[in-house]
Amino acid sequence: MGRVRVDLNISLDGYASTTDQTPEDPFGRDWGRLTAAYAGTRTFRERVLGQPGKGTTGLDDEYAAAYFEGIGAEVMGAGMFGLHEHPNDPEWQGWWGPNPPFGVPVFVLTHEERPSLEMEGGTVFHFVQSSLEDAVAAARKAAGDLDVRVGGGVTTARAALAAGLVDRLHVAIAPILLGRGQNLWADLREFEQGYEVRSEVAPSGTIHVTFSR
Amino acid sequence: MGRVRVDLNISLDGYASTTDQTPEDPFGRDWGRLTAAYAGTRTFRERVLGQPGKGTTGLDDEYAAAYFEGIGAEVMGAGMFGLHEHPNDPEWQGWWGPNPPFGVPVFVLTHEERPSLEMEGGTVFHFVQSSLEDAVAAARKAAGDLDVRVGGGVTTARAALAAGLVDRLHVAIAPILLGRGQNLWADLREFEQGYEVRSEVAPSGTIHVTFSR
């Protein structure tokens, strides 16, 4: 049976989302600073940007590669799929175009009833109206022996952590203080209990902390 | 001219104080977990507990030793000296007995007017009624070429960080989530700007992060 995994980029003060988006800079400067080490890796540049052979190798890249390995299904919140910006729009198919980078069944939590969407490259979006627990159970079944990734957003990831659904949490901590946004650690007192915690620092300054059980 | 330094033990979610004290357990279980690696070092056991030759060596101990090195004066808040529990009590001389472990002039911020207290071993408590800036300036003058430590509590340390008074911040991050208490990182957005940040992980699992300028 596979594990349920969460991977997030957070700031040293725990923020996993940023607040300085503008129409001119839709990601914002903070997002760039938060994800700089990950976005610079060879894995990210090859798998997400389609730039093979470029980018950093080493510890940051090892974690980036692990993020993509062994995933058999994904769970995400409605916001990550874009249903907050595009509610009740039957034409909306997510942010990722016709060939999303998942390549596996993706279970989207939403109050909307929507038919499943079969995309190119193996991604099939299923829409789950009941509970996070049900979505994770459906994803586990779909993943078989492979792992399930709870991809985001932060609220969904934190709910999965708080509910004890997650077997492996990896955070890549950028050594910056954002001071605002959604804090991953809110209401997770003693989450570490029952997990083995391992930390290591990459040459980029990113602190990788992994909770495993 | 010496530097102004802050050293704190914090949890992974940024808490530098704990909330589970009881009459039976006046420090609380969380405090023990937060400071376990530091309290286990050879330096702590020798300098604070008077147990020479015992305790861990290695990275945690190197930071513990550095905490005590090169300090010419200390600044602390009224709470750390005990004036919240012992207000307007001319007999109160702090928590540390006749021979406090500072051995240098200590500048205590308080609204109370109190005469300076000369203790054994070189510690002299001075009471500053004006501002944190004034207390740090007086401590810098007293320290000469040595460093000033802003010892605590968390509110005083954070105020010094926010005011740009601190040249070196070292946090020893225990890989635990406390979820409540006083959060060091509150209102310190972009504190890292202008500092060099260095992180390393001790075998104990403690993540040492140092901001220097």
Side-chain angles (χ1 to χ4, degrees):
Chain A
M1 189 90 177
R3 299 166 302 169
V4 176
R5 292 160 39 185
V6 168
D7 278 73
L8 287 169
N9 293 290
I10 66 173
S11 62
L12 187 56
D13 50 351
Y15 292 99
S17 71
T18 56
T19 54
D20 65 341
Q21 296 83 356
T22 62
E24 295 72 36
D25 188 1
F27 284 98
R29 193 174 66 94
D30 284 347
W31 186 254
R33 300 194 300 145
L34 190 62
T35 61
Y38 171 57
T41 61
R42 177 171 292 233
T43 294
F44 183 89
R45 297 193 64 171
E46 181 168 327
R47 299 209 41 149
V48 183
L49 301 184
Q51 301 171 342
K54 296 177 190 268
T56 65
T57 56
L59 201 59
D60 287 330
D61 192 53
E62 288 172 29
Y63 281 99
Y67 175 81
F68 290 99
E69 280 162 14
I71 297 293
E74 172 125 357
V75 172
M76 67 174 63
M80 184 168 167
F81 185 76
L83 292 177
H84 296 163
E85 287 86 348
H86 302 273
N88 301 304
D89 174 359
E91 304 297 310
W92 179 251
Q93 300 197 328
W95 307 103
W96 303 276
N99 186 2
F102 306 102
V104 295
V106 178
F107 295 83
V108 181
L109 277 161
T110 172
H111 296 295
E112 291 185 27
E113 286 198 31
R114 296 172 60 104
S116 294
L117 271 176
E118 190 159 347
M119 314 295 286
E120 295 170 25
T123 299
V124 183
F125 292 111
H126 301 287
F127 299 89
V128 180
Q129 284 80 34
S130 51
S131 69
L132 175 60
E133 284 77 2
D134 285 350
V136 169
R140 290 188 80 120
K141 193 171 172 190
D145 288 339
L146 294 175
D147 289 351
V148 169
R149 184 169 56 209
V150 179
V154 187
T155 307
T156 302
R158 196 168 58 209
L161 297 167
L165 296 171
V166 176
D167 302 306
R168 180 182 176 280
L169 166 65
H170 162 247
V171 288
I173 304 176
I176 61 174
L177 297 167
L178 291 180
R180 59 195 195 203
Q182 288 190 284
N183 199 300
L184 175 64
W185 303 130
D187 299 319
L188 286 180
R189 176 174 165 79
E190 299 199 333
F191 170 77
E192 78 281 359
Q193 301 284 324
Y195 291 83
E196 187 183 333
V197 187
R198 178 169 180 240
S199 305
E200 50 187 342
V201 180
S204 66
T206 304
I207 306 162
H208 294 275
V209 181
T210 306
F211 300 74
S212 308
R213 69 178 182 195
Chain B
M1 188 90 178
R3 297 166 303 169
V4 177
R5 291 159 38 183
V6 169
D7 278 73
L8 288 169
N9 294 291
I10 66 173
S11 62
L12 187 56
D13 50 350
Y15 292 99
S17 72
T18 56
T19 54
D20 64 340
Q21 296 84 356
T22 63
E24 296 72 35
D25 188 2
F27 284 98
R29 192 173 67 93
D30 284 347
W31 187 254
R33 300 194 299 144
L34 190 61
T35 60
Y38 171 57
T41 62
R42 176 171 292 232
T43 294
F44 183 89
R45 296 192 66 169
E46 180 167 328
R47 297 208 46 149
V48 182
L49 301 184
Q51 300 170 343
K54 296 178 190 268
T56 64
T57 56
L59 201 58
D60 287 329
D61 192 52
E62 288 172 30
Y63 281 98
Y67 175 81
F68 289 99
E69 280 162 14
I71 297 294
E74 173 126 356
V75 172
M76 67 174 64
M80 184 168 166
F81 186 75
L83 292 176
H84 295 163
E85 288 86 349
H86 302 273
N88 301 304
D89 174 359
E91 304 296 310
W92 179 250
Q93 300 197 326
W95 308 102
W96 303 277
N99 186 1
F102 306 102
V104 295
V106 178
F107 295 83
V108 182
L109 277 161
T110 173
H111 296 295
E112 290 186 28
E113 286 197 31
R114 296 172 60 104
S116 293
L117 271 175
E118 190 159 348
M119 313 295 288
E120 295 171 23
T123 299
V124 183
F125 292 112
H126 300 287
F127 299 89
V128 180
Q129 283 80 34
S130 52
S131 68
L132 175 59
E133 284 77 1
D134 285 350
V136 169
R140 290 188 80 122
K141 193 172 173 190
D145 288 337
L146 295 175
D147 289 352
V148 169
R149 184 169 55 208
V150 179
V154 186
T155 307
T156 301
R158 197 168 57 209
L161 296 168
L165 296 170
V166 177
D167 302 306
R168 180 183 176 281
L169 166 65
H170 163 246
V171 288
I173 304 176
I176 61 174
L177 296 167
L178 291 180
R180 60 196 194 202
Q182 289 190 284
N183 199 301
L184 175 63
W185 302 131
D187 299 319
L188 286 179
R189 177 174 164 78
E190 298 200 332
F191 170 77
E192 78 281 359
Q193 302 283 325
Y195 291 83
E196 187 182 334
V197 187
R198 178 169 180 241
S199 304
E200 50 188 343
V201 180
S204 65
T206 304
I207 305 162
H208 293 275
V209 181
T210 306
F211 300 74
S212 308
R213 70 178 181 193

